[in-house]
Amino acid sequence: MPNIVIDKEKCKACGICVSVCPKKLIEIGSETNSSGSKYAVFNANENTCIGCAMCAISCPDIAIKEVSK
């Protein structure tokens, strides 16, 4: 089962991952990281992620990685 991990300290909430996810499983959360930036969150049942890794590929801050469970 694919899953993604978002490093909240690297994420700057640019929203690119939100726009490229074909299943719309990522959103910008309301909490902030230690630098005061909001960050993206994987907001879905992991069974719905298809493992395309478009989020990780398109992240300019290399804040997302795909992992298998």
Side-chain angles (χ1 to χ4, degrees), residues 35-62:
S35 65
S37 296
K38 291 184 178 182
Y39 53 90
V41 293
F42 184 58
N43 190 27
N45 179 332
E46 61 206 37
N47 293 330
T48 60
C49 178
I50 61 173
C52 69
M54 288 304 298
C55 55
I57 293 166
S58 62
C59 179
D61 296 308
I62 313 170

Side-chain angles (χ1 to χ4, degrees), residues 10-24:
K10 289 182 178 179
C11 180
K12 296 181 183 82
C14 68
I16 294 172
C17 59
V18 175
S19 67
V20 299
C21 179
K23 296 295 223 170
K24 306 298 180 203

